Amino acid sequence: MTHDIGAHLLIVDDDERIRGLLQKFLMRNGFMATVARDAAQARRLLGGLAFDLIVLDVMMPGEDGLSLCRDLRAGSSTPILLLTAKGDPSDRITGLEAGADDYLAKPFEPKELLLRINAILRRMPKPQEETELPKVLHLGPIRYDLERAEMWHGTQAVRLTATEAALMRIFTAEPNRAITRTELVSLLNRDKTGAEQVQERAVDVQITRLRRKIEVNPKQPRYLQTVRGAGYMLAPD
């Protein structure tokens, strides 16, 4: 089964048990997964992070999934998969009219959700097709593709953990700017909704691990620099 390894999914569902189960299941299958309990929290997350696909429950207290779907579709092309307790064909049509890419009635098999997600992601145009010049940062022999959040050493893909990938998203959003540990902790924790919270000490450990993948000599970092009194900074070629 193929999909974009590391694709970042947002799961929006008011049922805590379903949120947790889906997050664990999707992460086991190679995705990054962030969760939101309602439309308001989803909007806050979408304001600060880019997602590859949104799994959105229709029946939620407050603003429902259809309303959020319509609103997002007005200004975003991020694919949306609706989940609903209603299996009626007219409800499915309403969901698709709201701008959803697909529709899955509860209860469903997690494997079917995975198949639907993979099918949607396969249909999405690849960044190379959208733009003649893919955005790539060069860090010596390392290439980092901003659109796909992929790292390459020559023709070899460099596997990043979820936290390393999150750090790269943070640094590449603002290259050549020193970001404090406190700010990194805040951004990482916002990126890991529902997961164990990152501490400042853990940031230093993650930076050390990331340097091993980026630097020719991790002990004398050229690209992921420590700026005395100011934090860490990514300085691409």
Side-chain angles (χ1 to χ4, degrees):
M1 190 180 297
T2 61
H3 59 68
D4 293 340
I5 294 292
H8 196 177
L9 311 183
L10 175 61
I11 303 154
V12 190
D13 197 306
D14 63 307
D15 186 320
E16 187 177 356
R17 190 184 64 86
I18 290 175
R19 282 200 308 273
L21 286 171
L22 289 183
Q23 185 177 37
K24 285 194 183 76
F25 173 74
L26 291 168
M27 289 174 82
R28 273 205 311 273
N29 281 279
F31 291 104
M32 293 177 65
T34 298
V35 295
R37 66 183 166 271
D38 56 21
Q41 189 181 19
R43 286 181 186 281
R44 286 195 294 276
L45 288 164
L46 287 160
L49 293 168
F51 293 94
D52 298 294
L53 184 141
I54 301 165
V55 178
L56 177 57
D57 186 32
V58 170
M59 303 290 282
M60 293 188 293
E63 183 181 8
D64 70 21
L66 286 175
S67 164
L68 180 61
C69 181
R70 281 189 201 97
D71 199 36
L72 292 176
R73 189 49 73 235
S76 163
S77 60
T78 304
I80 296 170
L81 172 62
L82 287 179
L83 301 179
T84 182
K86 299 176 181 175
D88 188 287
S90 65
D91 292 318
R92 183 169 175 274
I93 290 163
T94 306
L96 296 173
E97 283 175 348
D101 293 77
D102 204 350
Y103 195 96
L104 192 55
K106 293 179 178 179
F108 55 83
E109 287 293 323
K111 193 162 184 184
E112 184 179 0
L113 176 67
L114 193 62
L115 290 169
R116 299 285 188 102
I117 287 169
N118 286 329
I120 293 170
L121 290 175
R122 276 199 302 273
R123 293 200 300 267
M124 292 301 291
K126 296 289 181 276
Q128 285 88 330
E129 295 162 8
E130 290 171 1
T131 170
E132 289 178 23
L133 292 170
K135 290 185 182 175
V136 175
L137 282 184
H138 293 275
L139 309 160
I142 298 290
R143 287 178 297 117
Y144 182 76
D145 186 322
L146 292 161
E147 301 278 8
R148 299 178 66 78
E150 291 174 350
M151 188 177 283
W152 297 84
H153 188 291
T155 56
Q156 289 291 309
V158 179
R159 200 183 76 77
L160 298 175
T161 64
T163 306
E164 289 164 354
L167 279 170
M168 283 303 294
R169 277 202 306 280
I170 293 164
F171 283 122
T172 54
E174 296 185 89
N176 299 307
R177 178 175 92 79
I179 304 175
T180 65
R181 278 188 189 81
T182 308
E183 197 177 345
L184 286 170
V185 166
S186 170
L187 290 165
L188 285 171
N189 284 332
R190 190 172 70 180
D191 204 16
K192 287 166 68 97
T193 309
E196 191 179 333
Q197 298 289 282
V198 176
Q199 307 296 326
E200 283 202 20
R201 286 191 307 278
V203 167
D204 296 332
V205 173
Q206 295 296 338
I207 293 284
T208 301
R209 289 178 180 165
L210 191 51
R211 278 175 173 158
R212 286 185 201 136
K213 296 181 179 182
I214 292 175
E215 304 286 353
V216 175
N217 180 359
K219 292 199 182 342
Q220 293 184 314
R222 151 76 182 82
Y223 298 105
L224 189 45
Q225 301 174 4
T226 302
V227 182
R228 193 180 294 280
Y232 297 107
M233 179 176 82
L234 187 73
D237 289 327

